[in-house]
Amino acid sequence: MNMMISRMLLAGTVLAICATAASATDLLQVWEAARQHDPQGAVNQASRAAGATRHEQAAALWRPNLGLSATGGWSNAQSQMNGAQFAMPGSAPVSGASFGTSIHGGNATRWALNAKQALYNPERRAQSAQLGMAAQASEHEWQLAQQDWMLLTTKRYFDVVQAERRLVLLLQQQQAVDKALTEAKDRFALGDAPVTDTHEAQARAQALGAQAIAAGNDLDMARQVLAEVTGLPIQMLTLQAPSRPGVAMAAEPVAIWLQRAEQNNPMLKLQQAQATAAQFEIDKHRASASPTLDLVAQASRDRLSGSGDFGVASNTQSQQMVDVMLNVPLYSGGMRSARLQEAMHLHDKALAELARSRQQVSQMTRAAWLAVHSGQARLAALNAARTASQARLASTQLGRQVGDRTTLDLLNAQNDASAAEWSWLQAQIDTLMAQLRLDAMAGQLGLQQLEAVNAALKN
């Protein structure tokens, strides 16, 4: 019964993986689908667009500010003037004159149009430079996010490939163990083999059955994750496994790649921009104590009309002015100096973080370079081990038939052959991913590098 079930599962899995090989979904198609469907792309693009607006914000700091205000409502007013001198054309001045006006519950209206243009403002100049640097930082952040997204999508692709291959190998191994179990039972019944052979085969079959169930669950989860981020139906996810390390592996010395990483790594560019922005923050707080000069213009009109103690009355006042306004900060209670000290400490922190990131990027670049180059030797060794394990399995099967090998020897040979096949696939994927990480460290991971990895997959 177990043999029949394993054969059915193996046949179904192999058909699901291989039946549509001609229309298999390759890595580039998965990446393009992720770009269209994965919410991560919208997050990256929105963040980039928001950062780009800082260029316009910087330019707006030096444009005029216009404002219009208007009020209307109910108001009382009363004025009294005594001891004034009153004069009219053609008559003598009158001394000791008195004037009085009053309005109760009158209609009051006011409008004012204000314009202000900065002429000299060191703090605003530093703020403008800071906004420009923040816009550059958002571009570096977007590039970093795009590279991380591409690496994550590729990893999800290979997670499905590995899960599929692991399930196939387990089912193939389980089928072979079920066959060995049947043979062990038959030979025990004939008195040609000890009962321990049956027990060993039975234990191995049950263990493989449990592993196959777990591998099937892992495959379902990996497919579901990839389907969700690409929008592709699960039944269309017939992926291609590596067939050869076809990517053009990095032949340059590690020093060249370290130099590229130092110059082009988006994380270092981002933190360098953040450190520069922190310096502009210091300049801004230092300049906050500097005088400023602004061109100010205003036009306004106030009107109050109604009835008062002396009958119907109205009062209208209009004003227009163009001035140059000088502002000299004198004392802020210590706030300016405290903020300056904070900005200086934050700048020191940004520089320290930049130095730490340089060390990390250097270490990660070197590790990726070593993984690529050692991967070539590792692949050659694993390929030789795979060939040897297949030869050993064939020899052990023949030896088991003639009685020179035990059932345990055969089970171990089958397990070694499956493990060698799995290690070979995993090494291919590890080497391809190491190359992509090396490209990312150098800030040059893009569609061209993804195409090179795609060329290493089965067609």
Side-chain angles (χ1 to χ4, degrees), residues 21-62:
S23 58
T25 307
D26 65 16
L27 180 58
L28 293 179
Q29 291 171 322
V30 167
W31 168 242
E32 186 60 31
R35 288 183 60 198
Q36 301 297 326
H37 188 79
D38 192 349
Q40 183 62 45
V43 172
N44 295 347
Q45 195 59 39
S47 178
R48 184 188 191 188
T53 62
R54 296 186 179 115
H55 284 300
E56 184 61 23
Q57 294 176 37
L61 290 174
W62 295 102

Side-chain angles (χ1 to χ4, degrees), residues 354-373:
L354 176 60
R356 182 185 62 186
S357 294
R358 281 200 176 102
Q359 290 180 348
Q360 293 174 345
V361 167
S362 176
Q363 293 169 3
M364 294 171 67
T365 302
R366 190 181 298 274
W369 185 88
L370 291 173
V372 170
H373 284 264

Side-chain angles (χ1 to χ4, degrees), residues 21 24-27 157-158 161 238-242 454 457-459:
T25 307
D26 65 16
L27 180 58
Y157 179 97
F158 284 134
V161 171
T238 307
L239 307 185
Q240 298 173 320
N454 195 58
L457 306 181
K458 291 180 180 179
N459 296 317

Side-chain angles (χ1 to χ4, degrees), residues 351-399:
L351 291 178
E353 289 177 342
L354 176 60
R356 182 185 62 186
S357 294
R358 281 200 176 102
Q359 290 180 348
Q360 293 174 345
V361 167
S362 176
Q363 293 169 3
M364 294 171 67
T365 302
R366 190 181 298 274
W369 185 88
L370 291 173
V372 170
H373 284 264
S374 63
Q376 304 303 302
R378 181 186 175 198
L379 286 172
L382 288 174
N383 192 31
R386 185 177 60 148
T387 302
S389 66
Q390 291 295 333
R392 178 192 172 200
L393 176 58
S395 174
T396 305
Q397 288 172 337
L398 180 61

Side-chain angles (χ1 to χ4, degrees), residues 7 33 38 294 348 360 403 449:
R7 285 177 179 175
D38 192 349
D294 300 294
D348 292 340
Q360 293 174 345
Q449 286 69 34

